[in-house]
Amino acid sequence: MTNLQAALAALHTQQLYRTRRLRSGAPTVRTTIDGRSYLTFCSNDYLGLAAHPAIAAALREGTHRYGVGAGASALITGYSSAHHQLEEALAAFLGRPRVLLFASGYMANVGILSALLGRNDTIFADRLNHASLIDGARLSCARLRRYPHVNPQALAKLLTSPRPLHSRTLLATDGVFSMDGDIAPLPELARLASEQSAWLLVDDAHGIGVLGPSGAGTVAQFGLTSEQVPILVGTLGKAFGTSGAFVAGDVALIETLIQRARSYIYTTAPPPALAHASLTALALVQSGHERREQLTALITRFRQGATALHLPLLASPTPIQPLLAGTAPRALAWSRHLERHGILVSAIRPPTVPPGTARLRVSLSAAHSAADVDQLLNALADLPRGNSDGIE
Ligand code: PMP
């Protein structure tokens, strides 16, 4: 396949080629990758639950009770009492009438948008929304209008353009932006959505578990109601430490998704044992105040240290703390520099982020210690910067 080879070679030349690293063992903050031990700052395991013994024990118990795989899609015979219990517990946690589990956040977003909207409809989306929201919008065939990042004024202007009569309008935003770490201006977005009779979808993949009272996320942190944010998406693969995702909303929303979301209907239900394990993860998330406090202390420590070093830190109040490198080669050089110090932070390059904004995405976890953060700051102190790094 020569054409493919040429395209791959071009990615290499632009330093945009991505390689997978081989991890052995659990995804803890000290882990072995490609045979070498590293201190890592690049997982989404914000509360340090991904290797938690109680969740691992619940997974084992779940396999004894429910077997390994679901055996069928949810609408055939794959929906088990483990899924049901987790849905009920998540609904109570988020204060919503119903929850529907998906196999992943990617599948949830793609399924929701394509189930709710069609050719005649319009989706307004923050320019930095997660890829799954963009792909869902494309799949729905609705008109996609993207507004500048966290800019409700620009969105308000876009919203004044005429839309077809009797069409649906949905406003979609990440709660916490996955590559910038900043928080969406949800109260303003909710006001605009209500003025325009639009549905507001908040994908709080990086907020639920981390922010808000008992970790209920950005919507709860802003004190918004389920009427203001009728569609709330979360994932289990980040703060919960397991895998899978969910959407929370009213009965009509969830029943519509059960009838129409193709990424829910035409796929094997997630393993019930995993849902059983996620129930234990949810209990740990809800009682995880100390973990969240530890995380907040680490964020403050990292930001103070990085500011003192004059590092190009983005304004993020969350565990996602990006350092803007600009070019892909520079982001890679920074990542390699840290690797030489035994620290792993991945370089994030286009197309994951816009061109010219390649970065190191430092992500903090409650499983890190203050000494871990200091070790990272020490290694960042002599980061190759400017033209003297020989990479521009
Ligand atoms: N939404 C956002 C904002 C995300 O960052 C991600 C994961 N990177 C997803 C959805 C997808 O979630 P999952 O990993 O469960 O597919």
Side-chain angles (χ1 to χ4, degrees), residues 170-196:
L170 182 141
L171 177 48
T173 183
D174 287 13
V176 173
F177 288 87
S178 57
M179 295 301 140
D180 285 45
D182 52 348
I183 297 174
L186 294 184
E188 288 90 336
L189 298 182
R191 187 178 49 77
L192 290 173
S194 134
E195 281 169 13
Q196 298 286 329

Side-chain angles (χ1 to χ4, degrees), residues 44 104-106 109 130 132 174 176 178 203 205-206 235 237-238 244-245:
N44 299 316
S104 73
Y106 186 93
N109 284 337
H130 189 255
S132 53
D174 287 13
V176 173
S178 57
D203 173 355
H206 299 271
T235 170
K238 304 187 197 293

Side-chain angles (χ1 to χ4, degrees), residues 266-286:
Y266 297 108
T267 190
T268 303
L274 200 54
H276 188 68
S278 296
L279 203 53
T280 298
L282 173 59
L284 289 166
V285 163
Q286 286 185 273

Side-chain angles (χ1 to χ4, degrees), residues 101-112:
L101 291 178
F102 281 78
S104 73
Y106 186 93
M107 289 169 78
N109 284 337
V110 164
I112 295 163

Side-chain angles (χ1 to χ4, degrees), residues 12 21 89 147 153 185 264 318 335 367:
H12 263 300
R21 316 291 304 264
Y147 58 89
Q153 292 79 19
Y264 182 75
T318 68
S335 180

Side-chain angles (χ1 to χ4, degrees), residues 30 42 45 54 75 78 107 123 133 142 170 212 214 223 229 287 351 356 375 392:
R30 284 181 195 280
C42 44
D45 180 21
L75 297 193
M107 289 169 78
I123 297 173
L133 288 170
L170 182 141
S214 304
V229 183
S287 64
Q375 193 180 326
E392 285 187 328

